[in-house]
Amino acid sequence: MPVRAGIVRGRLALVMLAALSVSAQAADTTPPAAPAAPAAAPTPSPAAIAAADTILNTIGLKQQIAIVVPGMMQELETNVTRTRPEIRDSLRVTLKAIQPEFDETARQTYVQAESLLASEMSEQDITQVAAFFNSPAGKKYVQATPVFVQNLGDVTGAWREKLSTDILERARAEMKKKGVDF
């Protein structure tokens, strides 16, 4: 996967999780409760976990986590064999042998992500969100989001650059009125 596509998919996951968070907060019409002592979050139900899996898989988080270990191993191989090309074959065999151990950590991380998302919403809400992603409109949303995120990045990047210059120029002008140059 090209780096740019990986960035877009990562941004996609973040944007979609943020949208889920906003949607869940907007849907919750109950008044805020008085602050209570922190308690352990209840364990999400199997249905909530299954819905979280649907959501995370749909937005690409499952795939993003799954490619971390092979990517890091490839990076290690590239970096090591740059200065020690003679150990390439032995290193590949070693990395292949230890990869299952690290793939398991990726699986555990994904399970934690499922549980984290499932514990943030009621079972009913998370099931509805999962149903949305499985609906025709949800599938269109998921399909349109990478292009949107790419275009949004272009728009916000240009805005940030202009904003940085404009703030600096404006601050200089205001400070100059006070007799301070910088």
Side-chain angles (χ1 to χ4, degrees), residues 8-23 59 133 141 145-146 148-150 152-153:
V8 170
R9 289 194 67 132
R11 287 181 184 168
L12 165 66
L14 290 175
V15 167
M16 295 181 90
L17 283 173
L20 289 172
S21 175
V22 170
S23 296
I59 66 173
F133 280 118
Y141 175 78
T145 301
F148 165 74
V149 170
Q150 176 65 49
L152 180 62

Side-chain angles (χ1 to χ4, degrees), residues 106-118:
R107 189 194 67 74
Q108 290 170 359
T109 298
Y110 181 75
V111 167
Q112 288 176 333
E114 285 176 327
S115 184
L116 181 63
L117 180 59

Side-chain angles (χ1 to χ4, degrees), residues 34-44 116 119-120:
T43 303
L116 181 63
S119 67
E120 291 295 320

Side-chain angles (χ1 to χ4, degrees), residues 54-160:
T54 296
I55 294 165
L56 296 178
N57 194 24
T58 300
I59 66 173
L61 188 66
K62 189 173 200 171
Q63 297 82 352
Q64 286 295 308
I65 289 174
I67 64 172
V68 169
V69 171
M72 291 184 89
M73 288 190 163
Q74 180 60 52
E75 185 177 339
L76 174 67
E77 179 183 333
T78 299
N79 291 338
V80 170
T81 58
R82 199 173 283 139
T83 58
R84 299 281 313 272
E86 74 278 7
I87 67 168
R88 179 180 317 272
D89 292 339
S90 179
L91 181 58
R92 279 186 182 161
V93 169
T94 299
L95 292 174
K96 188 172 185 158
I98 65 173
Q99 184 169 346
E101 170 186 343
F102 295 100
D103 285 342
E104 177 58 23
T105 66
R107 189 194 67 74
Q108 290 170 359
T109 298
Y110 181 75
V111 167
Q112 288 176 333
E114 285 176 327
S115 184
L116 181 63
L117 180 59
S119 67
E120 291 295 320
M121 302 171 73
S122 71
E123 181 179 320
Q124 179 182 1
D125 288 343
I126 198 166
T127 302
Q128 289 175 357
V129 172
F132 165 73
F133 280 118
N134 282 326
S135 73
K139 289 177 183 180
K140 286 180 184 175
Y141 175 78
V142 170
Q143 185 178 12
T145 301
V147 173
F148 165 74
V149 170
Q150 176 65 49
N151 292 337
L152 180 62
D154 294 343
V155 168
T156 58
W159 169 68
R160 286 179 54 88

